[in-house]
Amino acid sequence: MLDAALEQKIGQVRHDWTLEEIRAIMDQPFNDLMFQAQTVHRANFNANEVQTSTLVNIKSGGCAEDCSYCSQSSRYDTGLEKEKMMAVQEVVDKALAAKEKGATRLCMGAAWRNPNKKDFPIVLDMVKMVKGLGMETCLTLGMLDEDQVQQLKDAGLDYYNHNLDTSEAYYPKVITTRTFQDRLDTIDKVQKAGINVCSGGIIGMGEAHKDRAELLRTFANMHHHPSSVPINLLVPVEGTPLEHMRGKTDSFEFIRVIATARILMPHSYVRLSAGRMELTDEAQALCFLGGANSIFYGDKLLTTDNPESDHDTVLFAKLGINMQADRSAIKSDEKSA
């Protein structure tokens, strides 16, 4: 049970969380944690509604980074072929198909360290075209400079995804080709431009329990909380340094991270992201109970499998969950500050 002083802070939008406070929240009895997370969730969102996004890999393979979990790194032999940039019309067609199935946002990902001059204008066209369909747009392109951020802003980009992946202390054990601060710098540029940030992490890469708490602390203490916080369960890929990590993370530990994220960031969408194939329907139901209210919808997440959309429809029906249709009235700590 939490001490009275900390319990009074549950549900508040704060940017000064201590590691000790976060550990106390995450480590309390499971039922208490879930009750608090659900209470915070209901105070800020429709408890039976989930936002759905579809992820499209607009350019796969050949990335120069050495992220130890990634099938798209050119440093590992994962059997993935490097592909050219997807045509704008193909992206539009995929967006229309996703919209027809209920997705409200199209997330487009390219395997880059940072965008190149040749392909960046094509990406800007993709953003404009998808926006024209009445969908929200999200991109993940690696690191950005200020000029690129401004061009994305002018094109109407709604969200930029740039995950921190893990704690600052554990980060060098996973990635060496860019620093933790590099990622924070890109997030800062995006937020200053007025673009919503989507940033989360990966659970199950060999990090300690305290690293998960530290990762959440980094997000929770940002000047503006990320509008969307995807929590991924590692999907080990053959040929990567982390291929041996399958089944190393207890599902209850994963759910605790979801619930703690909900409590620390009351107005953010917490996305149950990659790794759902590793979770039972019952474990996913507990994630939704713990405050997850966003998913990727479709059978593929870049290069990893995702539950088929029909399976999600059946699961949502069992749980009485509806797909969110309109995101125009988004709540965020930026608007409430």
Side-chain angles (χ1 to χ4, degrees):
M1 189 171 181
L2 301 181
D3 64 61
L6 179 54
E7 191 161 9
Q8 288 181 351
K9 297 175 182 177
I10 299 297
Q12 296 179 15
V13 175
R14 294 176 51 197
H15 306 273
D16 60 350
W17 290 96
T18 68
L19 181 61
E20 291 72 23
E21 288 175 324
I22 295 173
R23 289 288 297 270
I25 291 170
M26 194 157 60
D27 295 345
Q28 64 183 311
F30 188 78
N31 285 346
D32 292 344
L33 173 62
M34 297 299 282
F35 177 77
Q36 291 165 3
Q38 179 62 196
T39 300
V40 171
H41 186 51
R42 285 176 177 270
N44 296 281
F45 293 96
N46 183 330
N48 296 306
E49 200 169 68
V50 169
Q51 185 274 330
T52 52
S53 301
T54 293
L55 182 59
V56 174
N57 199 356
I58 61 174
K59 188 270 174 189
S60 68
C63 183
E65 304 281 15
D66 69 350
C67 306
S68 298
Y69 52 80
C70 188
S71 63
Q72 302 196 70
S73 172
S74 61
R75 298 164 185 260
Y76 313 129
D77 183 11
T78 63
L80 183 71
E81 296 293 330
K82 181 179 179 180
E83 296 181 358
K84 293 182 179 179
M85 187 80 168
M86 189 177 287
V88 174
Q89 187 57 50
E90 187 176 356
V91 172
V92 170
D93 291 342
K94 289 182 179 294
L96 286 169
K99 185 177 181 181
E100 180 69 23
K101 291 184 176 181
T104 58
R105 186 188 309 167
L106 191 76
C107 302
M108 296 164 276
W112 288 327
R113 173 178 170 83
N114 50 273
N116 61 61
K117 292 183 179 180
K118 177 174 69 73
D119 290 329
F120 192 63
I122 301 174
V123 174
L124 297 176
D125 287 341
M126 291 177 181
V127 171
K128 295 171 184 176
M129 293 292 286
V130 174
K131 284 279 288 185
L133 301 176
M135 296 186 74
E136 292 181 325
T137 54
C138 180
L139 286 172
T140 178
L141 310 171
M143 294 183 288
L144 299 174
D145 61 35
E146 291 182 355
D147 181 60
Q148 290 167 334
V149 171
Q150 188 57 52
Q151 289 184 68
L152 292 172
K153 174 68 175 177
D154 293 342
L157 182 68
D158 296 296
Y159 290 82
Y160 193 76
N161 168 259
H162 203 58
N163 291 339
L164 295 181
D165 290 341
T166 188
S167 72
E168 185 172 10
Y170 194 72
Y171 184 93
K173 297 181 180 179
V174 179
I175 302 159
T176 66
T177 48
R178 76 172 97 166
T179 68
F180 194 81
Q181 187 60 50
D182 287 335
R183 293 187 181 242
L184 290 175
D185 289 345
T186 290
I187 289 172
D188 184 58
K189 292 170 190 171
V190 170
Q191 288 188 326
K192 285 180 177 178
I195 300 173
N196 292 304
V197 164
C198 171
S199 187
I202 305 172
I203 307 304
M205 298 189 292
E207 75 283 352
H209 184 71
K210 66 179 181 179
D211 291 305
R212 295 159 189 165
E214 280 283 14
L215 173 65
L216 293 180
R217 181 171 179 256
T218 300
F219 292 131
N221 286 351
M222 287 180 176
H223 181 64
H224 294 301
H225 295 163
S227 299
S228 182
V229 183
I231 306 296
N232 301 270
L233 181 62
L234 177 71
V235 180
V237 177
E238 187 175 352
T240 64
L242 295 180
E243 65 178 337
H244 63 287
M245 293 301 294
R246 184 173 299 278
K248 299 292 186 179
T249 304
D250 180 82
S251 60
F252 286 104
E253 174 72 3
F254 182 78
I255 296 163
R256 283 182 179 275
V257 175
I258 292 278
T260 305
R262 164 53 62 225
I263 292 169
L264 299 178
M265 293 168 280
H267 295 164
S268 300
Y269 278 76
V270 177
R271 178 177 297 146
L272 183 56
S273 198
R276 288 202 292 135
M277 294 287 287
E278 311 295 317
L279 298 172
T280 65
D281 285 353
E282 291 78 9
Q284 290 189 63
L286 285 173
C287 288
F288 294 130
L289 183 66
N293 62 338
S294 178
I295 64 165
F296 277 122
Y297 192 59
D299 59 3
K300 209 75 172 174
L301 297 184
L302 295 181
T303 62
T304 60
D305 291 333
N306 196 47
E308 293 183 1
S309 55
D310 289 346
H311 181 88
D312 285 329
T313 301
V314 172
L315 177 60
F316 284 179
K318 290 178 181 178
L319 299 177
I321 288 177
N322 299 310
M323 290 190 291
Q324 188 177 65
D326 183 8
R327 296 256 300 142
S328 61
I330 184 172
K331 284 187 176 183
S332 68
D333 72 303
E334 291 96 327
K335 292 183 179 180
S336 63

